[in-house]
Amino acid sequence: MCLVKVLGVGSPHGADQLAWKVVEQLRQQTTLRPYLGNVLDCVILNRPGPSLIDYLQSAPTVVIIDAALDGGPTGRVRQYSATELLESQIQFSSHQFGVQQSLALAQALSDLPEGLRVIAISVSDEDQAMTEPDCEQWAVRLAPLIAARLDSIVSAVS
Amino acid sequence: MTESREVSIRVPVLARVEGEGALDLSISDGELTNVQLRIYEPPRLFEKFLQGRRFDEVPDMVARICGICPVAYQMSAVHAMESVFACQPGPWVREMRRLIYCGEWIESHALHIHLLAAPDFFGYRSVTEMAKDYPMEVRRGLKLQGLGNELIRILGARSVHPVGAAVGGFYHAPSKSAVAELLQKIKQALPEAEALVRWVATLDVPQHEQQFHCVALRHEHEYPINEGRLVSSSGLDIDVSEFQHHFKEQQVPHSTAFHCHLNGEPYLVGPLARVNLNRDKFPEVVKNLIDELPVKWPSFNTFHSALARAIEVFYALHEAVRILSAYQMPDQTRQSITPQAGVGYACTEAPRGILWHRYEMDQQGEVVNAIIVPPTSQNQARIEADLRQSLQDFGLHNDDDALRQHAEMVVRNYDPCISCSTHFLILNVDRC
């Protein structure tokens, strides 16, 4: 079992691909290569909905990467704890059961891992429909930054 | 608060899934004078988008109509177009289509039971609140939903907007090892599905018997999913191509979604209608379980819809075991298509009820005209009729909050795509 699991959450549409593309780039980062396959595992998830809870159990430390409409400029990277995310106002819908909602449900079920971190990549309103090549370009730019964060996380737990 | 009060309850946003809706109730002198489920989302124009598209583009396009029941849209579409092209995909494809549809029933029903219906019946605002007191039940629901998604994925490549279905069959056949692995998981889940049925049967639901017509597919040899004749509890028995002779869609001022009537009257589609009309087609294991439940069938208490969903989850898992146990790799996964001009019809049983498609195709295999009648619009008139009677039975003397909560529960019970939003309705009350 790996110690750190990275979950790239998204879909094949517009800027929602960002986390997938970032995960693809993370796998190519030289700083992370020594860890991949043993300490560190990176997967992509296609709109997992509440199934995300299962993946939260897959490692002692879980890092979720997701594109976020949080008012920030496209490409801004912020890291949140589960507590910070859960303190925000949450609305539920079976058709819009996203990361926040899944984490809230996981917390209610006492299934929230202590080492959970969420890395949010901001997408501005006007960039929501960005193309796949644009997503790939952003991923190339952002991957080293996110890899550095992961490097420190992996170093701390391994 | 007295019976002579005049109250206008407006729920302005039933933020939708397959439609944005609202609910307006007016009470005057102890009578409900106005009940309107308003769906005000602009038309999505999918039928227009399909015009001029080749037949092989259609399954992936119609899958985008709904994120919860994309398989239903794909199945109705491929069957209708195959009838135009005189394509007979054969027994392997027939079984796999049944299998992927079982997956959709399981994931959709499990989601509705646990995220929408059960919190209502227990008085919680959400599944998160409920999970603190019923963690085992919620975990079980999530596990079953996950299995449904796996069934969709094994044929559709992904569970949301799957891409495996084609006119003529599937683009891919699962490996025998993948099938064996999934079969094992599903067999292990059967006791949990049975426990789900028994648990839902114990839920304290309102006891409101109503009179309504049930409409569903009916197949000679099996519980209906992809094929059958259209039947009703009032004696209708027609080929699906005759749908428009008996069912009339009409516009109403308060909804951008059509209302649909059977011979001028509202009707119910969905799991309760299916179980009411087809429970004799269940295998013995399902029939035996139903016989042990404290509910008499047919049931005309619409709140038994949740139980009907649970029964269908149990059935769909057994059906998946049957199909997966007999799985063989096919010689080919799909028939080649020779397009021809003509008109084709199909109706399949989406999780929420019958989904009827009509396609006019040209010689090149492009869509000339498409008509899609989804279950949510078919249930709209029935939901309004249910609200009238349920709220009267509940008691109009109750305060506005209680009336709103009961009204929301009635709406959600139908699992309309708009039900997603009905968990966080904003209520405005104008008192005269």
Side-chain angles (χ1 to χ4, degrees), chain B residues 316-376:
Chain B
L317 284 166
H318 274 280
E319 184 68 349
V321 167
R322 181 189 70 76
I323 295 169
L324 291 171
S325 298
Y327 183 79
Q328 296 292 331
M329 291 297 287
D331 294 333
Q332 57 178 21
T333 61
R334 61 192 164 109
Q335 299 285 323
S336 60
I337 299 295
T338 305
Q340 51 186 286
V343 176
Y345 308 85
C347 187
T348 67
E349 284 284 359
R352 292 159 189 79
I354 57 170
L355 171 60
W356 187 83
H357 285 213
R358 175 193 183 276
Y359 292 89
E360 181 182 353
M361 310 296 291
D362 67 15
Q363 197 71 39
Q364 286 72 46
E366 292 181 355
V367 176
V368 177
N369 190 270
I371 301 174
I372 296 173
V373 184
T376 295

Side-chain angles (χ1 to χ4, degrees), chain B residues 153-315:
Chain B
R153 252 193 317 268
I154 200 170
L155 283 155
R158 61 192 193 202
S159 58
V160 181
H161 303 148
V163 291
V167 180
F170 286 91
Y171 291 111
H172 158 83
S175 68
K176 290 193 86 164
S177 60
V179 164
E181 188 182 331
L182 186 52
L183 174 61
Q184 191 62 24
K185 285 186 192 175
I186 292 175
K187 280 182 175 173
Q188 287 171 356
L190 290 174
E192 292 177 277
E194 180 178 336
L196 170 69
V197 175
R198 294 187 188 281
W199 176 66
V200 174
T202 65
L203 296 181
D204 186 18
V205 300
Q207 297 301 315
H208 293 307
E209 291 279 327
Q210 302 189 5
Q211 289 191 323
F212 51 83
H213 303 291
C214 293
V215 174
L217 287 178
R218 184 166 172 82
H219 189 276
E220 194 177 354
H221 304 300
E222 62 194 11
Y223 196 73
I225 296 181
N226 273 310
E227 302 159 22
R229 290 174 65 79
L230 269 171
V231 302
S232 80
S233 52
S234 45
L236 182 81
D237 185 353
I238 59 170
D239 186 84
V240 297
S241 61
E242 298 173 82
F243 179 90
Q244 288 176 305
H245 300 311
H246 299 267
F247 296 84
K248 299 293 180 198
E249 287 188 291
Q250 65 179 75
Q251 215 153 20
V252 292
H254 58 276
S255 176
T256 54
F258 288 121
H259 275 207
C260 196
H261 289 95
L262 166 60
N263 298 327
E265 295 189 8
Y267 60 97
L268 176 75
V269 299
L272 183 62
R274 279 195 293 265
V275 173
N276 276 347
L277 293 170
N278 290 289
R279 64 197 179 285
D280 60 311
K281 298 298 181 188
F282 280 133
E284 288 305 312
V285 64
V286 181
K287 285 182 188 169
N288 291 340
L289 179 58
I290 290 175
D291 287 344
E292 293 176 28
L293 304 177
V295 172
K296 191 178 171 210
W297 301 89
S299 168
F300 288 87
N301 178 355
T302 51
F303 286 109
H304 285 149
S305 293
L307 180 57
R309 285 187 188 94
I311 291 168
E312 287 193 338
V313 168
F314 184 63
Y315 166 69

Side-chain angles (χ1 to χ4, degrees), chain A residues 12-13 20 46-51 53-55 91-97 101 104-111, chain B residues 17 64 66-68 111 115-116 126-128 131-132 135 138-139 142 145-146 149 158 160-161 352 417 420 423-424:
Chain A
H13 310 299
W20 290 5
N46 188 345
R47 293 158 287 186
S51 301
I53 295 170
D54 289 338
Y55 291 95
Q91 296 181 324
F92 282 86
S93 150
S94 65
H95 287 243
Q96 296 173 334
F97 209 95
Q101 289 82 1
L105 184 53
Q107 185 185 47
L109 292 168
S110 303
D111 283 345
Chain B
V17 184
R64 301 299 173 86
C66 182
I68 297 293
L111 205 60
L115 266 66
L116 299 174
S126 71
V127 65
T128 304
K132 292 170 185 165
V138 171
R139 280 183 215 278
L142 294 177
Q145 191 227 351
N149 282 334
R158 61 192 193 202
V160 181
H161 303 148
R352 292 159 189 79
C417 281
C420 298
H423 257 289
F424 42 92

